[in-house]
Amino acid sequence: MNRLLVLLLSAVDALIAAAVGVAVVLAPLTVFWVVGLGGTADWGALWPAAVRIWQLGHFVPLHVVLGDEYLVAAGIPAQAATFVVSLAPLALATFTAVFAARSGIRAARSGSWPVGVAAGSGVTLLLAAALWATSRTPVAAVYGWQALLLPTLVFAVPALLGALVEAWRGGDDGLVDAVRDRIDGADPRRGHPWVAAVAASARGTGIAVTGLVAVGALLVAVAAIARGGQVVSLFEAAHVDAVGGGVLALGQLAYLPTLIVWGAAFAAGPGFAVGAGTAVSPAGTTLGVVPGLPVLGLVPEGSTPWLFALVLLVVGIGFVAGAAARARLAADGVAASGSDSAPVRLAVLVAVVVLAAAAAALLAACASGAIGPGRLDEVGPAAGPFAFTVGVEVAVGAAIALFSPARSREAAVAPVD
């Protein structure tokens, strides 16, 4: 595939990702405008609103300024007239990231991944600039550099990672192959164990991060079953009609990945906050006045020390990740036990732990922010404690899997000369 075609396909990928993201937001707002408002309001106001929600979903903080008339009508104190909303509905960013990763993988298979990644990122930057320029509104302002840079990074980083992983697996006749050849030559007598270590580390990290997300999703599902009545009660208390309820439900659905990260933080131990001075964790729950959003009905009102057993799930994930990494090492000719392979297995352990902790920190940073004035400027898990606990728990499980006595079949595998 020639470079021009790769460039065009990557540009189309970026265009589709942005267009679909904005359309997904604009469609329910349009339905609400037609059915709920009877088409009497200014339709032009929907475009800035849709773009602002899309930008928020790509980690662009919104600086909200409420007018005096609204403050009087709603009974809101003047000191709460300006605030920042930065808690992102991660469903939008997740869609863009997945689309970008697929684009990067395809570009790598074509052999021109630098062109593809650069083209997709450049088009995303141009689209972000166009959206920012056409959506000026005094109610929710954004900084221009954030409106351009952050959506571009949401596309560029996954595209680059997808391209590099695929290039490492299949070769690219370029930079990645040169790096791999350099590593291959590190110790040819031992069958190039460090190449195997890279693959094993990637597999272990992928399993650890996927397992952590799966645990978070499991806890959210359990909470939805156990506290579904509270969610319904909050919906009823909102006094919205069918259209308003549908829009509210879709908005909360966009925050489902955010809630999954909160669930993972709860399982790991540190938990999360729903406002400054609050804490929701297995050690205890301390909540003040919580906004009446139906989705927050999933937050438990109390806890029990027995919930610390959830930590074992994360340790188990670490064990599975370590076992998968060890199996990959054995498949690539690295002995499953013995002093010769111990440095390689130790390097894999360190890589899996560090990368899993870094992924946890990134997830926490993406799933935290502000949702209103005052104490509501601190919502979500703290990146540092979440990363530390995930690193320790994954390290325990992975170390057991990587350094426990090997089975006879694994021990029989010898390094390839």
Side-chain angles (χ1 to χ4, degrees), residues 1-12 112 115-116 118-120 123:
M1 189 181 297
N2 61 59
R3 293 186 176 184
L4 178 59
L5 184 57
V6 173
L7 185 150
L8 292 176
L9 289 176
S10 299
V12 171
S112 300
V115 174
V123 170

Side-chain angles (χ1 to χ4, degrees), residues 34 36 79 94 103 120 170 173-174 223 227 280 310 312 328 392:
V34 173
Q79 58 268 27
T94 300
S103 178
D173 296 326
R227 296 185 56 81
V280 181
L310 294 172
L312 297 177
R328 180 57 186 263
V392 171

Side-chain angles (χ1 to χ4, degrees), residues 196-222:
V198 173
S201 300
R203 173 175 290 188
T205 301
I207 291 175
V209 176
T210 302
L212 189 63
V213 172
V215 168
L218 176 62
L219 289 190
V220 172
V222 171

Side-chain angles (χ1 to χ4, degrees), residues 150-249:
L150 296 178
T152 302
L153 289 177
V154 173
F155 187 95
V157 173
L160 179 61
L161 290 177
L164 290 177
V165 170
E166 184 62 25
W168 180 271
R169 294 171 57 186
D172 68 341
D173 296 326
L175 177 62
V176 175
D177 278 350
V179 172
R180 183 161 186 159
D181 291 341
R182 188 71 175 268
I183 298 175
D184 280 348
D187 192 354
R189 296 171 299 173
R190 297 176 59 187
H192 318 310
W194 297 110
V195 173
V198 173
S201 300
R203 173 175 290 188
T205 301
I207 291 175
V209 176
T210 302
L212 189 63
V213 172
V215 168
L218 176 62
L219 289 190
V220 172
V222 171
I225 296 173
R227 296 185 56 81
Q230 183 67 19
V231 175
V232 172
S233 298
L234 290 173
F235 259 112
E236 294 174 346
H239 299 295
V240 293
D241 57 14
V243 176
V247 173
L248 182 60

Side-chain angles (χ1 to χ4, degrees), residues 40-69:
T40 58
D42 181 15
W43 188 88
L46 294 183
W47 176 253
V51 173
R52 287 294 180 267
I53 294 173
W54 180 85
Q55 290 171 331
L56 178 63
H58 291 75
F59 310 111
V60 180
L62 307 183
H63 300 265
V64 179
V65 180
L66 302 178
D68 294 336
E69 295 181 359

